[in-house]
Structures are given as structure tokens and as C-alpha cells.
Amino acid sequence: MGKRVIALGRQFGSGGREIAYKLSQALGFAYYDRELITLAAERAEVSEALFAEKDEKAANPWLFKAFYDGGPKARQGGSAEDVLFQLQSEIIEELATERDCILVGRCADHILESRRIDCLSLFICAPFDWRVRHRMALDGLDERAAKALVEKTDKQREKYYEYHTGRLWGLPENYDLCINSARLGIDRTAALLAEHCRQLFPEI
């Protein structure tokens, strides 16, 4: 039997990270989000800080700087963003064949689909104003700063996803299920998704 894998995309501020973690706890699945940066840095034999600022960002051709750091598993000569994507893609494929897991962002849905690995693809969204308020509460930001952060991060994720997949980020037909987290809130959304997954994966 193949492993049970969930690829979860999310708008910034929608609570996607929190929902993914709560869902992993409810199902007993391994959880990978920023851990994918750590694993990629270990594989490349570079500091995690080097990759952290490149995570989920498309390379900028106008600011291109070739990557010549790390060990033999890091492809040399590309941008740091592309090297990170390559390493994370390898790791995502390996994790999906080794254990039941939830993979957050990093084009995991497309990566697994392209490698013919079955997964449940989810997308968490919410109205812009709700997401701004959520980031204000989480980060202690004023409204202006939170709005700027939400807009900037969404644009980065959209560009990243479309650059690596060739399809539109957040388009409903690209996912198995899209859900508005503002409707039920983070806890109830996670609980609803957990119940859906228990029906989809009856052996849980």
C-alpha cells in the first residue's frame, strides 16, 4: 500500500500552516513545512540561513547570482532559488514514498503529480481583510504593515508556483479541495479536513 500524503498550499495569512499542523496531529501524519529548508540545507551542506531567505521564491533574472556553495549534492551554477527547489523536490518525493505525511507549500502537489505519486491536494484561502487581521494578531503588526506583508508574500508565492509548475496558483481546479478558513476558523477547519481525510483514508 502506498503512503498517505497530503500536499497543502495556502494563501499567506489564511492559517494554512496552523491548519496543516493541527491536521497532522489529528491524523498522526508527519509534518513538513520549514523543516524542508533544514533538510535541503543538510543535503547541500550549507547553512540553513543561506536557503531560508530563498524559500518559496522564484529566481530573479535581473539579480542572478550563480550558486557555487555546498557539497556534491548541490547542483552548481544555477540560482540559489533553483538549487533549493531542486533539493526540496527530491526530498518531497522521498518523504512521500517513505511515510504518511503533510507537505506544506513548495509546489508539493505538482512535484508529486509529475512523479506519479498519489496525494490529496488541498488549498487554504481566506478573504484578504481576514488574512490581514490574522497576521496582525500573530505578528503584532499594525494594519498597514500587515497589508503590505500579505500582498508581498502572496505575490512571491504566486510567482514561485507559476514559475515552477506553469499553472495558476490557487486556481480551484488545480486542487482536490479548496476551503475558506475564515468560514469556520482554524480549529474547525482543521477538524473538518481531518474528518474528510478519515473517510478518504479509512485505514486511519
Side-chain angles (χ1 to χ4, degrees), residues 8 14-16 19-20 22-23 122-125 130 177-196:
L8 187 144
S14 66
I19 289 167
K22 290 177 182 293
L23 184 57
L122 307 177
F123 190 81
I124 309 298
C125 60
W130 189 92
L177 180 63
C178 297
I179 189 164
N180 176 1
S181 56
R183 181 69 173 178
L184 296 176
I186 289 171
D187 289 343
R188 291 178 64 196
T189 298
L192 177 68
L193 289 173
E195 181 57 33
H196 175 71

Side-chain angles (χ1 to χ4, degrees), residues 9-204:
R10 71 281 185 236
Q11 289 181 317
F12 187 69
S14 66
R17 175 175 289 124
E18 298 113 296
I19 289 167
Y21 183 75
K22 290 177 182 293
L23 184 57
S24 73
Q25 295 294 295
L27 300 177
F29 285 14
Y31 168 86
Y32 296 97
D33 181 6
R34 291 171 177 158
E35 294 80 0
L36 294 169
I37 308 173
T38 304
L39 293 171
E42 290 173 354
R43 179 164 299 194
E45 299 178 31
V46 299
S47 71
E48 187 173 335
L50 182 63
F51 278 156
E53 63 178 18
K54 308 296 183 182
D55 191 44
E56 292 194 280
K57 294 178 183 175
N60 186 333
W62 303 107
L63 299 174
F64 180 83
K65 181 179 179 181
F67 183 88
Y68 288 108
D69 296 318
K73 292 184 179 179
R75 186 182 63 202
Q76 304 296 309
S79 68
E81 291 88 350
D82 287 345
V83 172
L84 175 58
F85 180 78
Q86 171 237 328
L87 292 167
Q88 287 182 330
S89 296
E90 294 172 0
I91 292 165
I92 285 169
E93 180 178 7
E94 291 167 11
L95 292 172
T97 58
E98 292 172 355
R99 67 204 66 183
D100 297 339
C101 60
I102 295 180
L103 302 156
V104 180
R106 283 88 185 173
C107 303
D109 58 325
H110 178 74
I111 290 166
L112 296 177
E113 179 184 320
S114 67
R115 289 159 172 77
R116 300 185 183 279
I117 298 174
D118 188 40
C119 74
L120 174 66
S121 60
L122 307 177
F123 190 81
I124 309 298
C125 60
F128 179 77
D129 288 345
W130 189 92
R131 294 188 287 126
V132 168
R133 291 194 298 273
H134 186 54
R135 294 316 304 188
M136 288 172 67
L138 284 179
D139 302 330
L141 300 173
D142 61 30
E143 184 175 4
R144 182 177 179 180
K147 281 184 176 179
L149 181 60
V150 170
E151 289 174 347
K152 177 183 177 182
T153 308
D154 269 356
K155 286 179 181 178
Q156 288 175 341
R157 288 182 181 173
E158 179 180 25
K159 183 179 179 182
Y160 171 84
Y161 187 85
E162 294 178 6
Y163 173 79
H164 288 294
T165 71
R167 61 190 188 188
L168 295 176
W169 178 68
L171 193 67
E173 51 261 47
N174 287 336
Y175 307 91
D176 295 317
L177 180 63
C178 297
I179 189 164
N180 176 1
S181 56
R183 181 69 173 178
L184 296 176
I186 289 171
D187 289 343
R188 291 178 64 196
T189 298
L192 177 68
L193 289 173
E195 181 57 33
H196 175 71
C197 290
R198 291 188 186 101
Q199 294 180 24
L200 188 66
F201 307 130
E203 60 273 21
I204 293 177

